[in-house]
Amino acid sequence: MIRAVIFDMDGTLIDTEKYYRISWPKALAHFGYEMSDEQALSMRSLGRPYAPEHLKQMFDDPNLDYAAIRAYRTKLIGECLEKDGIQVKPGARQILDYLKEKQILRAVATATDLERTKKYLSQVGLAGSFDELICATMVEHGKPSPEIYQYACEKLGLQPRECLAVEDSPNGVKSAHGAGCPVIFVPDQTPAEDWMTPILYGCAQTLADIIKFL
């Protein structure tokens, strides 16, 4: 029985993942690195300590200044959001209203820090829609480690099998599945990969379609 739904945020609840996809290559180019689109996609939901090491290995540069590059990427994303605003993903309000009506708990598990998570959710009018906001900065290992989902389940006071996870990225799927949560994949930048099929609880085209899995 599903008693809670834990949502990834960027690319799942709000349409911001596309800005990360654009901004990572631009930020790296600013520091003299050339990143392909495929490499940019591999960064989705990648938490600490994995992201710095992933970039260092990607460019074979142990001295790569991850903090500086990430800070510049954050600046670029901020400029995009200032210009374009933040859009809610299709079906988000519908599924959140449904879960509230059915008294199913709602949480966020995101690689974004708490300050920006609250800011983004407030900007789209979803700040009061969740029982818990869990950010990668609250745990030692971010996605794809299962730790963030394990912590989210603990905060909700539930077993992982009672918590449906909703993700749009491979790293997020690995994290939620590793924690023991049933996982629904809602595609954003890319469709589900073949390796996901055996471990997914299901796929949904929009967040509203999750209702049929509850």
Side-chain angles (χ1 to χ4, degrees), residues 10-12 15 17-18 21 37-44 89 167-173 185-196 200 203-205:
D10 294 290
T12 300
D15 192 17
E17 194 67 64
K18 60 189 179 185
R21 183 177 182 176
D37 185 53
E38 183 179 359
Q39 289 172 325
L41 286 169
S42 73
M43 297 296 294
R44 285 177 295 166
K89 295 289 286 184
E167 280 283 352
D168 73 297
S169 72
N171 287 318
V173 169
F185 185 80
V186 182
D188 177 46
Q189 299 297 299
T190 55
E193 298 178 12
D194 290 342
W195 63 265
M196 296 181 190
L200 288 175
C203 288
Q205 286 305 115

Side-chain angles (χ1 to χ4, degrees), residues 54-187:
H54 184 58
L55 282 182
K56 289 175 182 179
Q57 291 176 15
M58 185 183 293
F59 297 105
D60 193 24
D61 183 359
N63 297 315
L64 178 144
D65 191 343
Y66 174 79
I69 294 168
R70 186 179 184 277
Y72 192 74
R73 183 222 64 183
T74 300
K75 173 180 175 291
L76 293 175
I77 291 175
E79 291 172 354
C80 290
L81 297 181
E82 184 70 25
K83 176 185 176 184
D84 300 335
I86 303 175
Q87 302 299 316
V88 177
K89 295 289 286 184
R93 300 188 197 280
Q94 183 179 343
I95 186 63
L96 290 169
D97 288 345
Y98 177 86
L99 295 174
K100 183 177 181 180
E101 178 186 340
K102 297 298 182 181
Q103 298 185 324
I104 297 173
L105 297 175
R106 305 159 305 283
V108 168
T110 177
T112 301
D113 62 76
L114 185 59
E115 181 181 357
R116 283 189 296 146
T117 296
K118 289 181 176 180
K119 178 182 177 181
Y120 293 168
L121 293 176
S122 294
Q123 286 180 2
V124 297
L126 295 181
S129 300
F130 301 96
D131 299 284
E132 294 288 347
L133 299 178
I134 308 301
C135 302
T137 50
M138 298 176 181
V139 295
E140 185 175 354
H141 299 94
K143 301 174 186 179
S145 164
E147 192 172 348
I148 189 169
Y149 275 99
Q150 292 168 340
Y151 184 62
C153 294
E154 290 174 9
K155 292 288 286 183
L156 292 166
L158 298 172
Q159 295 297 315
R161 65 177 180 272
E162 300 175 296
C163 300
L164 186 71
V166 184
E167 280 283 352
D168 73 297
S169 72
N171 287 318
V173 169
K174 290 176 184 178
S175 175
H177 176 70
C181 298
V183 189
I184 299 293
F185 185 80
V186 182

